[in-house]
Amino acid sequence: MESMVPMETLVSLCKRRGFIYQSSEIYGGLASAWDYGPMGVELKNRVQNFWWREMTQLHENIVGLDASILMHPRVWEASGHVESFTDPLVDCKKCKQRFRADQIPKQNMETHSCPECGGELTDPRQFNLMFRTHVGPVESDAFLVYLRPETAQGIYVNFKNVVQTARMRVPFGIAQVGKAFRNEITTKNFIFRTCEFEQMEMQFFIHPSEDGKWFEQWKQERFEFYEKMGIRETRMRFHQHGPDELAHYAKIAFDIEYEFPFGWRELEGIHNRTDYDLRRHMEYSKKDLTYLDDLRGGERYIPYVIETSAGLTRTVLTVLADAYDEEEVEGEKRVVMRLHPELAPVTVGVFPLVKKDGLAELAQEVARDLREDFTTFYDQGGAIGRRYRRQDEIGTPFGVTIDYQSKDDRTVTLRYRDTMEQVRVPIVELPERIRQAVREYRRVD
Amino acid sequence: MESMVPMETLVSLCKRRGFIYQSSEIYGGLASAWDYGPMGVELKNRVQNFWWREMTQLHENIVGLDASILMHPRVWEASGHVESFTDPLVDCKKCKQRFRADQIPKQNMETHSCPECGGELTDPRQFNLMFRTHVGPVESDAFLVYLRPETAQGIYVNFKNVVQTARMRVPFGIAQVGKAFRNEITTKNFIFRTCEFEQMEMQFFIHPSEDGKWFEQWKQERFEFYEKMGIRETRMRFHQHGPDELAHYAKIAFDIEYEFPFGWRELEGIHNRTDYDLRRHMEYSKKDLTYLDDLRGGERYIPYVIETSAGLTRTVLTVLADAYDEEEVEGEKRVVMRLHPELAPVTVGVFPLVKKDGLAELAQEVARDLREDFTTFYDQGGAIGRRYRRQDEIGTPFGVTIDYQSKDDRTVTLRYRDTMEQVRVPIVELPERIRQAVREYRRVD
């Protein structure tokens, strides 16, 4: 078992190499908000595209959707979020600090005393985690709306639309990637938990009698998804929700957990939400959301839903933590991000061995051609070894070096990040060699 | 000049074929909010990817960024939005309706009389267009933040981070796609103007002496971008902002306008924002945002910015409106969306001529293989002509039909959407034939 990267090392690399910056940093930052820099946005986009392709393009029975963040407020009454999406908070009357009641040590709760200053605590009060805003120019007479705390409801309220217009028949799924917002008092662990985050959710609509079968299938399929992205199986496990953990809508729930540097935490949840959400929306909207099943002799029913709910930003953290590696090379430490080539922010680095004698010009020509097919970074500054290391640190899987021989025979060296092996390749063959290496990629530590 | 599609026809097609639904429709909808259905989200993603590839991958001097929607409120003081991002509104004291003062007929403003009921109007008052919310569980002592009204500021506050960590040198650009929110009183014309929308913005940082040159370059390049996406040049034009139209930060501004069914409207803005934003952020944050230019003998200056600001959701509307076409084929009306193949939500439709005799099985096998490379839709229901028409309506550029001959010689017909031409192709050659047709695509009406 390899050692885990300390969080401060990872956070520092993310800042230094342009993956993740603190939001509004020049103004002292905004608590738990983060911006994705040049490398971070490319990585995040690739994780999203990997999920999207896997869930929609490769599944003929799943289609996509993108609902708006602001929805009619009745949606959140129906979903139960207005009533139940709360944290119990207590205040210290002396030092005025606020705490989540379930995070205060038991003895302090029993003595009603502040864990910080010993002062008297208020009784717990329920605070809703939804952000509120108003549509319309004046707050007094404007329309109260919420920033959605989950993307799933956008799918449920469109269930009928999709059935009617996308020619889908149960069993089928609807997939969505998008922002969600939760006004949580405690946010920590870098991008693991943030007030503003991105979800990748899929709701799979099924006949109620088949919920066991489909739950098992999605549980396995979602676990395998992370293996496909190159995440180490040894750092993943399932955790079943006990009765006290189950959300108000769930009949059964499993988390896929990952062993982060700060411990085992939820990476994705697979939930049997039963017909709870569709039934509630029927009740609140007075619209018929039942499904007429031709394939079951015209049976009419409210479908059950198996949900797979992952965090995009959280998956980015997982991918980064899992990819981080250090090794000693020729007496020096090499930091290398062993990212799957389909996720790496830059696919190819192009380097002239030296700038002079026309090598820079030839290298720029090679980079220009590669850029049509791959995200390509051209770098002519500094010793070649340092340039390799810079690319290793951002996980660039391939390096192309143009040397004097290249001018004579139009060949270059192709360097593989993980093994540091270098092979001589004709320039014209580069795109196909790179594509092949991406297809055949297996992680080597 | 072809006739334009009436908006109601386009809106109806968008609903019927799963491009765009009204948000929260089962609850009566939320004003001017829209959800993107299975076809809409694929189209929107492809427009976004087209822009992203064009701006980042193909430009070695532009990198990406993804800043959070919630930022420190000082950002919006510095940017001028707290002070200046307002609409003048008037109320009718009699019928209580509210209007934008600049949209009321001049005679009514002079007589202070309501254009609806003739009642007395209040004096205009300025209302800020930013949505407000609070971070922290209790409104009274929580932190007031805004939903960003533009993505650009997320780029400016990260200017120094990008310079320091992404090894970029002026001139260089930062590109971003993301949601923005404007609490506007009048929203109309389908997805053209909505409170929640997506922007595709690029800020190009330059030496102040070169603003004329770069402005011209980006003006031309951005116009050509729409032509690359297949938008008709005859429906585009430039419009220069007069002194009364210029935003508070702009020295010069041009819009690229498109002739929508409801008239000529802004599609994208190209703005010379000078050093206004960086200078203001220096002033408000007390941080040094100057740039030390090695390539100019160590000159230190605040870069000027040329901004290219497009709406993603607005571009989706443009692409849809521009692609819509009707023609008569064999005595019947054919509706066809002439979408660029790289933008079409579905790339290939696969159809067995009939279900029986093993044709369905062979067609499913062909679809399964194509799905690895292309978004593929399998359809075995109804007459083959009707299945073609359904794909024409969503703009699917290629159709593959499996017939009895296919079982004997493993060939199929490949149908081209625009010409309806059909050619016989071996199954194994399909991926390359389709890729080639995408590369060589030219619009044919």
Side-chain angles (χ1 to χ4, degrees):
Chain A
M1 188 79 180
E2 287 116 49
S3 65
M4 243 170 287
V5 54
M7 276 308 286
E8 56 271 26
T9 305
L10 193 62
V11 173
S12 160
L13 181 143
C14 282
K15 167 74 193 279
R16 192 173 73 247
R17 300 315 314 278
F19 280 95
I20 298 164
Y21 312 125
Q22 191 182 16
S23 168
S24 312
E25 190 178 345
I26 63 173
Y27 291 103
L30 184 68
S32 94
W34 301 91
D35 293 348
Y36 291 78
M39 294 302 108
V41 65
E42 294 292 343
L43 174 60
K44 184 157 71 71
N45 285 350
R46 281 162 176 70
V47 170
Q48 175 173 345
N49 291 343
F50 200 96
W51 185 89
W52 189 261
R53 177 176 187 273
E54 179 77 19
M55 297 302 265
T56 64
Q57 186 176 328
L58 297 184
H59 283 88
E60 66 168 331
N61 57 359
I62 302 181
V63 293
L65 185 87
D66 185 37
S68 59
I69 290 171
L70 304 177
M71 301 172 77
H72 196 289
R74 288 281 281 172
V75 171
W76 306 109
E77 293 171 28
S79 71
H81 283 81
V82 169
E83 192 182 351
S84 310
F85 197 60
T86 55
D87 268 348
L89 301 184
V90 296
D91 293 297
C92 172
K93 291 179 180 174
K94 189 169 161 206
C95 74
K96 308 294 180 196
Q97 277 203 72
R98 174 162 290 148
F99 306 92
R100 259 178 66 174
D102 54 359
Q103 289 178 349
I104 287 182
K106 209 176 162 191
Q107 68 202 61
N108 296 82
M109 281 308 281
E110 282 166 0
T111 58
H112 300 278
S113 67
C114 175
E116 294 290 321
C117 77
E120 190 190 348
L121 293 177
T122 63
D123 286 335
R125 287 174 294 177
Q126 294 296 326
F127 284 97
N128 198 286
L129 300 180
M130 288 194 290
F131 282 97
R132 301 147 58 101
T133 190
H134 293 84
V135 178
V138 187
E139 285 214 8
S140 56
D141 60 1
F143 206 64
L144 169 69
V145 295
Y146 303 97
L147 308 192
R148 65 178 175 199
E150 63 171 27
T151 58
Q153 299 303 326
I155 291 178
Y156 302 134
V157 299
N158 278 302
F159 167 72
K160 206 78 180 183
N161 276 333
V162 172
V163 167
Q164 287 171 345
T165 67
R167 314 186 71 234
M168 300 306 282
R169 285 169 156 187
V170 169
F172 78 92
I174 304 178
Q176 182 172 213
V177 180
K179 294 241 168 162
F181 299 80
R182 295 179 184 178
N183 199 357
E184 296 186 279
I185 197 169
T186 310
T187 55
K188 55 183 174 183
N189 290 331
F190 197 31
I191 58 171
F192 178 78
R193 186 184 299 283
T194 51
C195 288
E196 174 180 341
F197 61 108
E198 283 177 87
Q199 294 188 304
M200 305 188 289
E201 296 194 318
M202 192 279 296
Q203 315 294 322
F204 202 75
F205 299 89
I206 57 172
H207 188 272
S209 69
E210 295 189 331
D211 64 343
K213 173 185 116 183
W214 283 110
F215 189 86
E216 270 314 304
Q217 168 147 348
W218 279 113
K219 195 173 145 233
Q220 296 312 321
E221 201 168 316
R222 292 306 304 153
F223 196 93
E224 287 160 16
F225 169 81
Y226 294 99
E227 295 178 289
K228 279 191 203 170
M229 284 204 311
I231 304 297
R232 280 174 277 202
E233 195 195 331
T234 51
R235 290 201 184 158
M236 294 196 294
R237 71 180 185 193
F238 281 113
H239 163 73
Q240 181 168 10
H241 283 210
D244 55 328
E245 292 172 281
L246 278 176
H248 62 275
Y249 50 72
K251 172 178 165 186
I252 180 170
F254 273 78
D255 290 341
I256 298 171
E257 292 191 335
Y258 179 80
E259 192 179 12
F260 289 97
F262 42 85
W264 289 95
R265 293 285 192 289
E266 179 192 348
L267 179 53
E268 168 158 352
I270 297 98
H271 311 127
N272 179 351
R273 293 178 76 135
T274 70
D275 59 3
Y276 174 84
D277 299 278
L278 287 180
R279 189 176 289 280
R280 294 273 291 195
H281 285 300
M282 275 185 71
E283 194 184 315
Y284 279 70
S285 72
K286 315 285 184 216
K287 295 287 191 301
D288 179 13
L289 303 181
T290 58
Y291 175 77
L292 181 68
D293 198 332
D294 289 340
L295 305 175
R296 289 176 181 268
E299 185 187 345
R300 185 175 283 283
Y301 57 89
I302 305 177
Y304 266 37
V305 169
I306 306 300
E307 169 185 66
T308 72
S309 174
L312 168 54
T313 34
R314 186 172 290 189
T315 304
V316 167
L317 178 61
T318 307
V319 166
L320 286 167
D322 203 72
Y324 187 92
D325 198 13
E326 292 178 5
E327 61 184 11
E328 201 180 292
V329 175
E330 293 165 10
E332 288 192 5
K333 184 174 82 171
R334 178 171 94 116
V335 171
V336 54
M337 296 295 277
R338 300 192 189 280
L339 294 167
H340 190 297
E342 287 186 38
L343 302 183
V346 176
T347 309
V348 200
V350 176
F351 321 105
L353 188 65
V354 294
K355 272 182 268 192
K356 61 184 179 178
D357 300 328
L359 294 193
E361 288 74 10
L362 180 55
Q364 276 165 341
E365 179 194 319
V366 170
R368 197 162 48 241
D369 288 348
L370 286 174
R371 202 163 276 133
E372 284 291 322
D373 295 311
F374 310 102
T375 307
T376 303
F377 189 80
Y378 173 82
D379 189 359
Q380 61 177 33
I384 189 74
R386 269 191 62 200
R387 283 180 273 165
Y388 288 153
R389 290 294 177 279
R390 280 201 290 257
Q391 294 303 312
D392 289 343
E393 262 200 331
I394 59 172
T396 305
F398 310 107
V400 169
T401 306
I402 285 79
D403 56 21
Y404 284 99
Q405 187 185 334
S406 308
K407 284 174 61 184
D408 294 333
D409 65 3
R410 307 278 299 176
T411 66
V412 294
T413 61
L414 178 60
R415 174 184 183 269
Y416 297 92
R417 174 196 69 201
D418 290 348
T419 58
M420 292 179 285
E421 181 197 1
Q422 300 193 30
V423 294
R424 196 101 208 151
V425 175
I427 291 171
V428 292
E429 290 178 20
L430 277 174
E432 189 44 38
R433 289 292 283 267
I434 291 168
R435 266 193 288 269
Q436 186 191 346
V438 172
R439 275 196 304 270
E440 295 171 358
Y441 173 77
R442 289 287 174 281
R443 178 165 175 155
V444 181
D445 278 272
Chain B
M1 188 79 181
E2 287 116 50
S3 66
M4 243 170 287
V5 53
M7 276 308 285
E8 55 273 24
T9 305
L10 193 62
V11 171
S12 161
L13 182 143
C14 282
K15 166 74 193 281
R16 193 173 71 245
R17 301 314 316 276
F19 281 96
I20 298 163
Y21 312 125
Q22 191 183 18
S23 168
S24 313
E25 189 178 347
I26 62 173
Y27 291 103
L30 185 68
S32 93
W34 301 91
D35 294 348
Y36 291 79
M39 294 302 109
V41 64
E42 295 292 343
L43 174 60
K44 184 156 73 70
N45 285 350
R46 282 163 175 70
V47 170
Q48 174 173 346
N49 291 343
F50 200 98
W51 185 88
W52 188 261
R53 177 175 187 274
E54 178 79 18
M55 296 303 266
T56 65
Q57 185 176 327
L58 298 183
H59 281 89
E60 66 169 331
N61 57 0
I62 302 181
V63 292
L65 186 87
D66 185 36
S68 58
I69 289 170
L70 304 178
M71 301 173 76
H72 196 289
R74 288 281 281 171
V75 170
W76 306 110
E77 293 172 28
S79 71
H81 283 81
V82 169
E83 192 181 351
S84 310
F85 198 60
T86 54
D87 269 348
L89 301 184
V90 295
D91 292 297
C92 172
K93 292 177 181 176
K94 189 170 161 207
C95 73
K96 306 294 180 196
Q97 275 204 75
R98 174 161 291 148
F99 306 93
R100 261 180 64 176
D102 55 359
Q103 290 179 348
I104 287 183
K106 209 177 164 190
Q107 68 205 61
N108 296 81
M109 282 306 283
E110 283 167 359
T111 58
H112 300 279
S113 66
C114 174
E116 293 290 322
C117 77
E120 191 189 348
L121 293 177
T122 63
D123 285 335
R125 287 174 293 176
Q126 294 295 326
F127 285 97
N128 198 286
L129 299 179
M130 289 194 289
F131 282 97
R132 303 146 58 100
T133 190
H134 293 84
V135 179
V138 187
E139 285 215 5
S140 56
D141 60 0
F143 207 64
L144 170 69
V145 295
Y146 303 97
L147 306 193
R148 67 178 175 200
E150 64 171 26
T151 59
Q153 299 301 325
I155 291 178
Y156 302 134
V157 299
N158 278 301
F159 167 72
K160 206 79 179 184
N161 275 334
V162 171
V163 167
Q164 287 171 346
T165 67
R167 316 187 66 235
M168 299 308 281
R169 287 168 153 186
V170 170
F172 78 92
I174 303 178
Q176 183 172 213
V177 180
K179 293 240 168 161
F181 298 81
R182 295 180 184 177
N183 199 356
E184 297 186 278
I185 196 170
T186 309
T187 55
K188 55 183 175 182
N189 289 332
F190 199 28
I191 59 170
F192 178 79
R193 187 183 299 282
T194 50
C195 288
E196 174 181 341
F197 60 108
E198 284 178 86
Q199 294 189 304
M200 304 188 290
E201 295 195 319
M202 193 279 295
Q203 314 295 322
F204 202 75
F205 299 90
I206 57 170
H207 188 274
S209 69
E210 294 189 331
D211 65 342
K213 173 185 115 183
W214 284 110
F215 189 86
E216 270 312 304
Q217 169 146 348
W218 279 113
K219 195 171 144 235
Q220 295 310 322
E221 202 167 315
R222 293 305 305 154
F223 195 92
E224 288 160 16
F225 169 81
Y226 294 98
E227 295 178 288
K228 281 190 201 171
M229 284 204 309
I231 304 297
R232 280 174 275 203
E233 196 196 330
T234 50
R235 290 202 184 158
M236 294 196 294
R237 71 180 185 193
F238 282 113
H239 163 73
Q240 180 168 12
H241 283 210
D244 55 328
E245 290 171 283
L246 278 176
H248 61 274
Y249 50 72
K251 173 177 165 187
I252 180 170
F254 272 79
D255 290 341
I256 298 172
E257 292 189 336
Y258 179 79
E259 192 179 12
F260 290 95
F262 41 86
W264 289 94
R265 293 285 192 290
E266 179 191 350
L267 179 52
E268 168 158 352
I270 297 98
H271 312 128
N272 179 351
R273 292 179 76 134
T274 72
D275 59 4
Y276 174 84
D277 299 276
L278 288 180
R279 188 176 290 280
R280 294 273 291 196
H281 285 301
M282 276 186 71
E283 193 184 316
Y284 279 72
S285 72
K286 315 285 186 216
K287 295 287 190 302
D288 179 12
L289 303 181
T290 59
Y291 176 77
L292 180 68
D293 198 333
D294 290 339
L295 305 175
R296 290 176 182 268
E299 184 187 346
R300 187 174 279 285
Y301 57 89
I302 305 177
Y304 266 36
V305 169
I306 307 300
E307 169 185 67
T308 71
S309 176
L312 168 54
T313 32
R314 187 172 289 190
T315 304
V316 167
L317 178 61
T318 307
V319 166
L320 286 168
D322 203 71
Y324 187 93
D325 198 13
E326 292 177 5
E327 60 184 12
E328 201 179 296
V329 175
E330 293 165 10
E332 288 192 7
K333 185 173 83 170
R334 179 172 95 117
V335 172
V336 54
M337 296 296 277
R338 300 192 189 278
L339 295 167
H340 190 295
E342 289 187 36
L343 302 184
V346 176
T347 308
V348 200
V350 177
F351 321 103
L353 189 62
V354 294
K355 272 182 265 191
K356 60 184 180 179
D357 300 329
L359 294 193
E361 288 73 12
L362 180 56
Q364 275 166 340
E365 180 195 317
V366 170
R368 198 162 47 239
D369 290 347
L370 287 173
R371 204 164 274 133
E372 285 291 321
D373 297 310
F374 310 101
T375 307
T376 303
F377 189 81
Y378 173 82
D379 189 358
Q380 62 177 32
I384 189 74
R386 268 191 63 198
R387 284 181 272 165
Y388 288 153
R389 290 295 177 278
R390 281 202 288 256
Q391 295 302 312
D392 289 343
E393 262 200 332
I394 59 171
T396 305
F398 309 106
V400 169
T401 306
I402 285 78
D403 56 22
Y404 284 98
Q405 188 185 334
S406 308
K407 284 174 64 183
D408 295 331
D409 65 4
R410 306 277 301 175
T411 65
V412 295
T413 60
L414 178 60
R415 175 184 182 268
Y416 298 92
R417 173 196 69 201
D418 290 347
T419 59
M420 291 179 285
E421 182 197 1
Q422 299 192 32
V423 294
R424 196 102 208 153
V425 176
I427 290 170
V428 292
E429 289 179 20
L430 276 175
E432 188 45 38
R433 289 292 285 268
I434 290 169
R435 267 193 286 271
Q436 186 192 345
V438 172
R439 277 197 303 271
E440 295 171 358
Y441 174 76
R442 290 286 175 281
R443 178 166 175 153
V444 181
D445 279 274

